[in-house]
Amino acid sequence: QVQLVESGGGLVQPGGSLRLSCAASGSIFSINVMGWYRQAPGKERELVALITSGGHTNYGDSVKGRFTISRDNAKNTVYLQMNSLKPEDTAVYYCNAHLRGSYTDYERAYWGQGTQVTVSS
């Protein structure tokens, strides 16, 4: 069984920074894409950032230039460095990973439980 465990959320003032982490554990053969999504109250879940196993990245328009995604393949962990935070960044942030649990498994998407990020003075 695979688990994604997020950490690093919290309350921060506008203009501040936070770093989120997400570690995948359990039966893992390989991880393809890892990423972060977020969902604010009353809004749909949206892409924040993705990173492939080879290090290629993709960002949502609203976070380009402020957020940086990275990963440590040896630790099955993805990070999200968030700088210049704005009140509109307030949301629950979810970790996502597309992985295979074993050599014979198809690739499937897994989600973490989410971590709250609140940007407020």
Side-chain angles (χ1 to χ4, degrees):
Q1 192 167 358
V2 175
Q3 282 189 318
L4 301 182
V5 178
E6 301 117 332
S7 61
L11 173 65
V12 64
Q13 292 186 342
S17 298
L18 279 176
R19 188 189 193 216
L20 304 183
S21 299
C22 171
S25 63
S27 177
I28 298 172
F29 174 73
S30 64
I31 303 178
N32 185 6
V33 178
M34 301 187 80
W36 294 92
Y37 291 75
R38 67 186 183 187
Q39 188 166 19
K43 295 187 177 181
E44 294 186 352
R45 190 172 296 189
E46 66 173 356
L47 169 69
V48 177
L50 296 174
I51 185 167
T52 69
S53 58
H56 296 287
T57 60
N58 187 32
Y59 293 92
D61 289 340
S62 62
V63 306
K64 285 180 180 176
R66 299 188 297 123
F67 291 9
T68 302
I69 190 170
S70 61
R71 66 190 276 177
D72 184 333
N73 291 329
K75 296 181 179 180
N76 292 334
T77 299
V78 63
Y79 307 96
L80 184 69
Q81 178 64 43
M82 304 185 293
N83 298 329
S84 302
L85 282 161
K86 305 175 181 179
E88 50 264 45
D89 293 318
T90 296
V92 178
Y93 284 69
Y94 295 93
C95 177
N96 171 268
H98 290 248
L99 61 88
R100 296 167 63 188
S102 69
Y103 177 76
T104 57
D105 276 352
Y106 291 104
E107 186 174 290
R108 289 187 288 173
Y110 292 83
W111 292 91
Q113 291 187 325
T115 185
Q116 177 70 45
V117 172
T118 302
V119 185
S120 175
S121 55

